[in-house]
Amino acid sequence: DAGVIQSPRHEVTEMGQEVTLRCKPISGHNSLFWYRQTMMRGLELLIYFNNNVPIDDSGMPEDRFSAKMPNASFSTLKIQPSEPRDSAVYFCASSLHGYYQPQHFGDGTRLSIL
Amino acid sequence: KQEVTQIPAALSVPEGENLVLNCSFTDSAIYNLQWFRQDPGKGLTSLLLIQSSQREQTSGRLNASLDKSSGRSTLYIAASQPGDSATYLCALYSGGGADGLTFGKGTHLIIQP
């Protein structure tokens, strides 16, 4: 079975540019999470979707970040404009039922903002 | 707010040893606790999920226990192998949405051949 698929794997861009990260969850999973991981702060949950609807976006750092899930098989995380402090590894994860079932992670997007 | 601590931050042991990784938490009102492993450059792989009503879960050489009264969970790895080398993280869900999900910083484990 295909796991969670994220693209791109690596992204290097200049400050001020728009960045779009993509995620395809596991088929049949109704919950999708976006995380950010840094050495300083560890793993942080940014936003949680259930049945394509954003349920909790309290972890989104500021208005420069936005996330969408237009259908059950695709989600995007957009940063506009990007800043050097956004540099991190961004993970997407999916589960069968929210926080109550195991979460399955993609391999992440390593984002570097110069 | 829930605080999750994993000690030690790093551990190196010879191959073949049985070992225990620790995860401590401050608030016992949890729904579940999950153990993950993370390999370099990869995402997290779910190992075991223990529901609040359970005391332990087992998968192969791995056994995870949960003691809510003492605020502790342990991950026991039997007969360790070099392939077990990774960072191991625990995560707790205490309810209330995103604020209720807390990850530990992880234990970086090295199994020496």
Side-chain angles (χ1 to χ4, degrees), chain A residues 9 35 37 56 91 99 102 105-106, chain B residues 32 34 38 41 43-44 98 101:
Chain A
R9 287 299 314 278
Y35 290 90
Q37 187 177 40
D56 192 335
F91 289 105
Y99 301 103
F105 281 69
Chain B
N32 58 53
Q34 191 165 0
Q38 185 174 24
L44 280 66
L101 182 63

Side-chain angles (χ1 to χ4, degrees), chain B residues 1-77:
Chain B
K1 178 171 169 64
Q2 180 76 269
E3 293 182 9
V4 179
T5 304
Q6 293 187 247
I7 295 174
L11 180 64
S12 180
V13 300
E15 179 179 5
E17 283 200 5
N18 303 324
L19 58 98
V20 174
L21 305 182
N22 297 296
C23 173
S24 301
F25 48 95
T26 55
D27 185 350
S28 62
I30 65 173
Y31 281 86
N32 58 53
L33 183 147
Q34 191 165 0
W35 281 94
F36 295 90
R37 69 174 279 168
Q38 185 174 24
D39 295 282
K42 297 287 188 178
L44 280 66
T45 299
S46 178
L47 298 174
L48 292 163
L49 184 147
I50 311 176
Q51 302 293 351
S52 176
S53 58
Q54 297 174 320
R55 296 280 296 184
E56 65 178 345
Q57 284 283 339
T58 298
S59 176
R61 295 182 295 107
L62 305 179
N63 176 276
S65 68
L66 175 62
D67 184 345
K68 291 189 299 180
S69 63
S70 65
R72 285 189 61 197
S73 175
T74 60
L75 179 66
Y76 175 82
I77 304 176

Side-chain angles (χ1 to χ4, degrees), chain A residues 77-111:
Chain A
L77 178 68
K78 185 175 294 187
I79 307 172
Q80 167 63 21
S82 57
E83 297 182 3
R85 61 194 169 113
D86 302 329
S87 298
V89 181
Y90 290 81
F91 289 105
C92 175
S94 69
S95 79
L96 279 170
H97 181 43
Y99 301 103
Y100 303 101
Q101 292 292 324
Q103 293 187 34
H104 300 265
F105 281 69
D107 284 340
T109 295
R110 183 173 295 276
L111 178 63

